[in-house]
């Protein structure tokens, strides 16, 4: 079936194309009667007005985009659902745009902003270290949500909502130390990688230091480059190597729950137990950390609150009700079965 | 910073808007020299041509959309990654569009087809029972991928790639029977719900019948409406009710791996063991089914092959190389630790 055009509709109605366009765009220069007749024909023929043309005509389309780094991380699923629901409730359209790990999210956003005439943008996940000059190319409000940030950033230039990755990581490693662990391994991002993994590593280091423990480089395990980052598969492979190295340790902190699940699997396969032989802790508060056997001690990020606050700030910026602001939510240490005192 | 327009660029270059437009659109009526000068100014000023206008000018934008029902199902994550990679390799743009469980995916597709001038569509997940009349409103090729289908469908009207949900479900329940189980519970979609859950339930029923076993309605457990379908949380809640009902059973088949994980958790909480007290089987072949403790017996869907074949058929249809076709991939029974002989 060939696509129906505005010209076909005009012919069917016995009017000009301009008149059809006026009906579609609620133009005042058309009688209610003619408009009703045209809209009826449009509906009966399932004609969908071409939005490329409509966007040019209209002064404002109302669209908010969510740009997400690493859509495969289950951590973001509930946030996306919340974003979509709330954005629709505000009568805005919602665009979900995935950004590759090695893609520049600002470039993607600049392109999207023009193409879709966005009203606002949420950046979700990853690490943010773009130049001021580059950020200024974005002309619509944006909020960084659950994103690690370079410390040199000027907080008056942008808004953000997240947990304090450094502090929360410190909290859970401090907890492991308080259980008597002295040899605590970590699975984290490679040292040259700027990601939230780095902030979480810094928190680990500080907690060890505050307990008078040396940071032992043989217990710092980087995720493998060739495997998906923060994944179960990666946690499994890294922990397998660690166990095979023979380096003694009694606890393992993985900077995501998925990594922690993979770590447990490697431990079981080596004939050892969690937490009997090794305590294991994760980060994020995914469902699977609760449903795993044993359930996994973790830092729960308050996903719903973070998502709601992100949109509250974004819509306030869109409506020019406020200047940039930064909200840090506390994470919650969830003590479960995977960790024990030694 | 105000947005730079094509008019600003024209002024900076000392040329007319039409000349700038010709440079952007690679029009032959412009000297290479002038074009290079204009493109330099465009680049220096970070001007992004407005694509709404460009789309109208261009005869063909090359975009393929993937419409997904239930983006929160981790089963789709790897498929989406594969789709994105392959579509980009073909030099097409990729749009990922989420469809709510209660939304009509054809309506969404019709709208999107016009708005984005799509070349093709992949429908991912869910159950397909739309009228021929409705499907004909889609004027571009589309392929149904991992979708349950109403049997009254005319196979010359569309293309599809999936496993045989009925047959694969039969296979795993047949396996449970062969281990000596006689009281096999199932967690599936509500009976009035048309989804792949229904096809998998039919396979369960047939396997029991072929082993001379009665289908026991007290062991048919529907997912709970108010919880996310196919989720761990749902599997947990349903299994908790089943255990509390006191109905005797020795094996449980959950129609997704996430449901199976939730079921195991409920069993552990009641002080029982898997597979010592209850054998548990899932469906899909998610990573978590392998990494869970115990690892979970399941049907592995060949995700990579399904995604590759879906796109092969779609691009052949786009290039008019073939008529509609249907490909069924075999699933693989993965026998793991969660099931045992009684």
């Amino acid at each position: 079936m060939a696509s129906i055009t505005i010209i076909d509709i005009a012919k069917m109605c016995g009017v000009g194309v301009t008149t059809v366009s006026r009906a579609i765009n609620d133009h005042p220069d058309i009688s209610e009667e003619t408009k009703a007749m045209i809209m009826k024909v449009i509906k009966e023929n399932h004609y969908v007005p071409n939005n490329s043309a409509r966007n040019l005509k209209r002064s404002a389309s109302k669209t908010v985009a969510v740009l997400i780094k690493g859509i495969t991380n289950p951590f973001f699923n509930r946030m996306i659902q919340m974003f979509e629901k709330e954005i629709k409730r505000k009568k805005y359209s919602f665009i979900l745009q995935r950004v590759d790990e090695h893609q520049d999210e600002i470039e993607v956003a600049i392109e999207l902003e023009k193409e879709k005439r966005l009203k606002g943008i949420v950046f979700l996940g990853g690490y943010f270290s773009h130049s001021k000059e580059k950020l200024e190319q974005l002309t619509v409000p944006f909020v960084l949500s659950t994103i690690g940030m370079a410390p040199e950033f000027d907080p008056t230039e942008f808004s953000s909502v997240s947990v304090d990755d450094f502090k929360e990581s410190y909290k859970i490693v401090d907890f492991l130390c308080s259980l008597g662990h002295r040899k605590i391994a970590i699975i984290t991002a490679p040292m040259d990688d700027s990601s939230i993994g780095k902030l979480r590593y810094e928190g680990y280091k500080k907690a060890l230091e505050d307990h008078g423990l040396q940071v032992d480089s043989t217990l710092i395990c980087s995720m493998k480059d060739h495997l998906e980052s923060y994944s179960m598969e990666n946690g499994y492979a890294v922990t397998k190597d660690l166990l095979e190295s023979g380096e003694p340790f009694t606890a393992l902190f993985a900077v995501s729950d998925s990594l922690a699940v993979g770590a447990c699997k490697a431990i079981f396969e080596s004939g050892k137990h969690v937490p009997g032989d090794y305590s294991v802790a994760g980060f994020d508060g995914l469902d699977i950390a609760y449903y795993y056997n044993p359930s996994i001690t973790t830092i729960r990020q308050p996903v719903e609150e973070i998502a709601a606050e992100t949109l509250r700030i974004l819509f306030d910026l869109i409506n020019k009700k406020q200047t940039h602001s930064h909200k840090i939510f506390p994470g919650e240490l969830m003590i479960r079965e995977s960790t024990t005192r030694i």
Side-chain angles (χ1 to χ4, degrees), chain A:
Chain A
M1 187 174 126
S3 186
I4 288 180
T5 69
I6 192 167
I7 299 167
D8 301 327
I9 297 291
K11 275 185 196 157
M12 289 182 225
C13 298
V15 301
V17 168
T18 315
T19 310
V20 177
S21 169
R22 281 180 180 162
I24 293 167
N25 291 300
D26 251 340
H27 195 280
D29 277 357
I30 180 171
S31 75
E32 280 306 313
E33 206 179 319
T34 311
K35 189 180 147 190
M37 181 268 288
I38 294 170
M39 293 316 283
K40 188 161 169 278
V41 173
I42 284 176
K43 202 173 168 199
E44 282 168 4
N45 289 279
H46 308 295
Y47 169 65
V48 181
N50 184 315
N51 258 353
S52 292
R54 279 165 82 205
N55 281 345
L56 284 179
K57 281 261 179 186
R58 284 183 179 176
S59 57
S61 77
K62 289 171 60 168
T63 304
V64 165
V66 175
L67 270 73
I68 175 174
K69 276 220 164 175
I71 206 171
T72 56
N73 187 341
F75 172 69
F76 296 123
N77 286 344
R78 199 171 294 271
M79 286 188 78
I80 292 169
Q81 282 181 311
M82 284 209 54
F83 283 141
E84 188 177 15
K85 200 172 143 195
E86 185 64 14
I87 289 170
K88 278 188 178 164
R89 211 181 57 80
K90 295 260 189 194
K91 305 252 187 275
Y92 278 65
S93 309
F94 167 77
I95 292 177
L96 179 65
Q97 173 83 37
R98 198 171 106 76
V99 182
D100 273 351
E101 252 172 273
H102 305 290
Q103 231 177 339
D104 182 328
E105 57 262 61
I106 304 296
E107 297 282 353
V108 175
I110 291 168
E111 184 81 17
L112 206 64
E113 183 191 321
K114 292 288 173 70
E115 265 190 35
K116 312 294 183 193
R117 308 207 159 187
L118 301 180
K119 288 289 173 196
I121 302 171
V122 173
F123 290 99
L124 194 60
Y127 187 81
F128 219 75
S129 57
H130 303 280
S131 68
K132 193 180 167 213
E133 191 194 19
K134 197 151 195 190
L135 287 183
E136 280 176 351
Q137 292 180 48
L138 287 171
T139 60
V140 299
F142 62 91
V143 179
L144 311 185
S145 194
T146 66
I147 286 183
M149 254 161 302
E152 64 273 19
F153 253 89
D154 178 352
T156 63
E157 299 287 340
F158 67 101
S159 291
S160 71
V161 184
S162 67
V163 299
D164 182 333
D165 287 285
F166 172 86
K167 196 173 129 189
E168 299 305 332
S169 172
Y170 181 96
K171 195 192 283 179
I172 199 162
V173 177
D174 178 64
F175 168 71
L176 293 172
C177 293
S178 75
L179 293 175
H181 293 282
R182 292 291 171 266
K183 291 269 186 195
I184 303 172
I186 183 171
I187 307 179
T188 186
M191 285 305 119
D192 59 344
D193 170 316
S194 342
S195 76
I196 48 163
K198 193 172 187 178
L199 299 173
R200 293 178 190 173
Y201 167 71
E202 296 294 337
Y204 158 85
K205 221 168 72 173
K206 184 71 164 59
L208 292 190
E209 284 164 10
D210 286 358
H211 281 270
L213 300 171
Q214 202 107 38
V215 176
D216 178 351
S217 65
T218 59
L219 296 181
I220 300 168
C221 312
S222 296
M223 290 183 257
K224 291 181 187 292
D225 259 349
H226 66 287
L227 300 176
E228 196 180 317
S229 52
Y230 298 91
S231 67
M232 293 185 262
E233 189 186 11
N234 217 320
Y236 172 80
V238 169
T239 306
K240 203 159 181 267
D241 284 357
L242 175 64
L243 291 165
E244 283 168 5
S245 76
E247 286 297 330
F249 68 101
T250 62
L252 173 62
F253 168 46
V255 299
S256 82
D257 287 338
S258 295
L259 287 170
V261 163
C264 287
K265 179 77 177 177
I267 291 169
F268 300 143
E269 274 197 8
S270 74
K272 302 288 187 178
H273 297 95
V274 177
D277 298 300
Y278 301 103
S279 286
V280 175
F283 198 108
D284 281 342
L286 294 188
D287 283 355
I288 189 59
Y290 172 74
Y291 287 105
Y292 201 70
N293 176 39
S295 58
I296 296 172
T297 296
T298 190
I299 295 288
R300 194 186 80 82
Q301 300 201 59
V303 177
E304 284 79 7
E305 290 90 330
I306 291 174
E309 181 68 8
T310 298
L311 289 184
R312 197 194 59 72
I313 293 177
L314 184 69
F315 281 108
D316 275 358
L317 289 170
I318 290 172
N319 299 322
K320 307 204 188 320
K321 277 195 207 146
Q322 71 169 35
T323 52
H324 287 301
S325 69
H326 300 269
K327 175 89 183 180
I328 305 270
F329 281 95
E332 191 181 352
L333 174 60
M334 311 297 292
I335 300 173
R336 300 201 177 117
E337 301 161 351
S338 67
T339 48
T340 190
R341 185 171 292 281
I342 61 164

